[in-house]
Amino acid sequence: MNAKLEKALAEVVRRNAGEPEFHQAVTEVFESLAVIVERYPDYADAALIERLCEPERQIIFRVPWIDDAGQVHVNRGFRVQYSSVLGPYKGGLRFHPSVNLSIVKFLGFEQIFKNSLTGLPIGGGKGGADFDPKGRSDFEVLRFCQSFMTELYRHIGEYTDVPAGDIGVGGREIGYLFGQYKRLTNTHESGVLTGKGLSWGGSQVRKEATGYGLAYFVSNMLAAENDSFDGKRVTVSGSGNVAIYAIEKVQQLGGLVVACSDSNSYVVDEDGIDLDVLKDIKEVRRGRLSEYTEQRPNAHVIEGGSVWDVACDVALPCATQNELDDKAAEILVRGGTTIVAEGANMPVTPRATAVFEKASVRFAPGKAANAGGVATSALEMQQNASRDSWHFDYTDQRLASIMSDIFDRCRDSADEYGRPYDYALGANIAGFTKVADAMIATGVI
């Protein structure tokens, strides 16, 4: 690594002690930036890289709320507004017990480059709370969301910061958050949140966007080597929003998805995952994947273990960060996997990516492969600004086109720096240079 980058990274680690996820995200980007700084040393001047690693604003606040039994609880809320050089801060809200400042900063830092890659005018940010909506009643979730927004509303707006959903924040939570924002501001500012319901300003394809976009990106990877999804065995981790719609689009493109998982187990269905059954369990009944065999008796549910034990051509980790380690990577390589693409944010550990690189497995980082969600959020912002509503097919075509453009940017940047098929390097370079050039153009702010 370039000496200036090493010094900058050491300072990031020192100033952000005890934040391993954030350190991991910054290190991964810095390893790619070395080749840029060697060719264009000006990028290391004016503390540009140091400024990029420091959020423009970090907001931490108390979220008190009352459960159905009258008990008062206190959670912690976060919003990290990382970079607005390309547009208003844009990034999801995550409600999960694991949420802390390190995770929010890693997600926000990644979001800068992800949003840059879309080619759309949106900056990077992220937020959430260490609240767990699982097992809570609708009224408890409502009260929490109202309390959360009572603080957050003063820091967001359609020209300032536009949150969306993430883990634990779906259409229900976005509705409650938007209602409270409207109450507090006395405005119907549709563009302040994305992921809204279709009947009140939401976008077609938003629910499907991250999973669809992932499948489109992989389809481009295959096409670059004169291949396609036809006949490919695909394994997907997770069974939430991203996983379900990645499965749907992969099946539409000709792939055979043979396994998926949740936090307790994974299911193997050699005939292909039955999407109707999966959606009924997860989206309607909010049940466990262990119920899958009740309707598909030829499938197998394995408690514990790893979904990555299932042999496949394409692996799509869509659950959570650092879920696929080097041991799982070695199993996938031995099983014949040729492509791994991140549907979740940073689900593959650095050691696992090293295993894939050594074995010449094509790897697509989340900042590129799962950018479909934020891209469609930006399309929702466009529709809100113009008081318009687009049809599903038109929005899906826009999404496919954006993902193709992202792939081209990653491929072209990797080729330019003599690293063909290194999509992680290409994504970091393409995302960084656009942000860096804008920072230089707008001065030291």
Side-chain angles (χ1 to χ4, degrees):
M1 190 182 292
N2 176 280
K4 288 185 177 180
L5 287 174
E6 285 186 348
K7 182 179 178 181
L9 179 59
E11 184 64 5
V12 168
V13 173
R14 185 192 70 80
R15 295 180 67 177
N16 302 275
E19 298 179 1
E21 295 87 359
F22 178 57
H23 299 165
Q24 180 181 339
V26 174
T27 301
E28 189 267 331
V29 171
F30 274 32
E31 287 172 348
S32 297
L33 297 187
V35 294
I36 305 179
V37 172
E38 288 173 6
R39 186 179 294 189
Y40 304 108
D42 289 350
Y43 280 136
D45 296 337
L48 187 148
I49 292 171
E50 290 85 348
R51 282 189 283 148
L52 189 61
C53 292
E54 189 68 24
E56 294 175 11
R57 190 173 296 106
Q58 301 179 65
I59 304 151
I60 304 175
F61 52 96
R62 180 179 66 198
V63 187
W65 59 282
I66 302 172
D67 67 20
D68 290 341
Q71 178 69 41
V72 175
H73 299 263
V74 179
N75 286 95
R76 182 173 290 175
F78 303 88
R79 188 67 181 173
V80 173
Q81 297 173 330
Y82 227 112
S83 172
S84 61
V85 71
L86 298 181
Y89 309 106
K90 187 83 189 77
L93 297 171
R94 175 176 295 191
F95 290 171
H96 192 272
S98 67
V99 169
N100 57 38
L101 187 58
S102 175
I103 286 177
V104 173
K105 285 169 69 175
F106 120 63
L107 292 168
F109 186 73
E110 288 275 294
Q111 200 77 45
I112 300 171
F113 309 107
K114 181 187 299 187
N115 294 0
S116 171
L117 284 169
T118 68
L120 300 169
I122 44 178
K126 205 74 178 183
D130 57 357
F131 168 75
D132 190 356
K134 285 186 178 179
R136 294 294 178 182
S137 71
D138 285 348
F139 283 116
E140 288 174 327
V141 173
L142 169 63
R143 287 191 288 271
F144 177 83
C145 288
Q146 289 181 336
S147 182
F148 183 85
M149 184 55 77
T150 297
E151 173 59 34
L152 185 66
Y153 89 95
R154 66 193 81 233
H155 307 291
I156 63 176
E158 62 179 322
Y159 300 112
T160 305
D161 185 351
V162 183
D166 194 82
I167 294 173
V169 179
R172 174 184 62 173
E173 289 77 16
I174 292 294
Y176 294 156
L177 291 165
F178 182 77
Q180 184 72 350
Y181 182 86
K182 189 160 68 75
R183 168 196 277 173
L184 293 167
T185 62
N186 193 33
T187 60
H188 193 105
E189 189 180 330
S190 295
V192 71
L193 288 166
T194 57
K196 299 182 294 296
L198 294 178
S199 62
W200 47 282
S203 172
Q204 299 275 4
V205 192
R206 180 61 191 90
K207 179 173 65 172
E208 298 87 353
T210 306
Y212 275 24
L214 174 63
Y216 286 138
F217 192 92
V218 175
S219 182
N220 278 273
M221 293 174 70
L222 289 162
E225 301 186 51
N226 298 313
D227 204 349
S228 72
F229 268 115
D230 287 342
K232 295 289 187 295
R233 284 173 59 91
V234 181
T235 296
V236 179
S237 69
S239 50
N241 208 49
V242 178
I244 287 173
Y245 291 100
I247 293 170
E248 181 169 280
K249 183 54 68 172
V250 167
Q251 290 178 343
Q252 291 174 7
L253 294 172
L256 178 69
V257 182
V258 295
C260 64
S261 64
D262 64 13
S263 57
N264 292 338
S265 60
Y266 68 93
V267 63
V268 180
D269 191 338
E270 291 293 343
D271 295 326
I273 294 295
D274 188 313
L275 202 59
D276 290 336
V277 173
L278 183 62
K279 285 183 177 181
D280 179 60
I281 293 170
K282 289 298 181 178
E283 295 186 333
V284 179
R285 292 187 276 140
R286 299 193 181 192
R288 307 306 303 172
L289 201 55
S290 56
E291 302 168 27
Y292 183 88
T293 54
E294 294 174 7
Q295 298 179 65
R296 297 279 288 185
N298 291 332
H300 303 282
V301 171
I302 295 89
E303 300 289 340
S306 170
V307 71
W308 309 123
D309 294 339
V310 181
C312 62
D313 300 301
V314 178
L316 304 178
C318 297
T320 190
Q321 67 264 11
N322 291 326
E323 59 166 294
L324 200 165
D325 61 15
D326 52 329
K327 293 181 180 178
E330 290 167 358
I331 292 171
L332 286 172
V333 170
R334 289 196 298 269
T337 299
T338 58
I339 288 179
V340 176
E342 295 185 317
N345 292 303
M346 208 167 70
V348 180
T349 68
R351 288 186 177 182
T353 58
V355 171
F356 294 139
E357 183 177 1
K358 184 178 180 180
S360 297
V361 171
R362 307 300 189 217
F363 172 71
K367 62 173 64 72
N370 72 26
V374 73
T376 306
S377 281
L379 298 182
E380 182 175 331
M381 292 167 66
Q382 288 185 28
Q383 293 171 80
N384 293 156
S386 62
R387 300 294 190 268
D388 201 356
S389 180
W390 302 338
H391 294 297
F392 187 99
D393 289 345
Y394 175 74
T395 309
D396 190 25
Q397 290 168 10
R398 290 287 307 271
L399 171 62
S401 176
I402 290 170
M403 296 309 299
S404 180
D405 289 344
I406 292 173
F407 173 80
D408 289 345
R409 293 184 184 104
C410 296
R411 180 201 56 203
D412 293 348
S413 294
D415 288 348
E416 179 185 349
Y417 284 83
R419 298 277 291 276
Y421 303 114
D422 191 340
Y423 300 116
L425 178 83
N428 286 333
I429 290 174
F432 169 81
T433 52
K434 183 176 181 180
V435 173
D437 289 344
M439 292 176 69
I440 293 169
T442 53
V444 181
I445 56 173

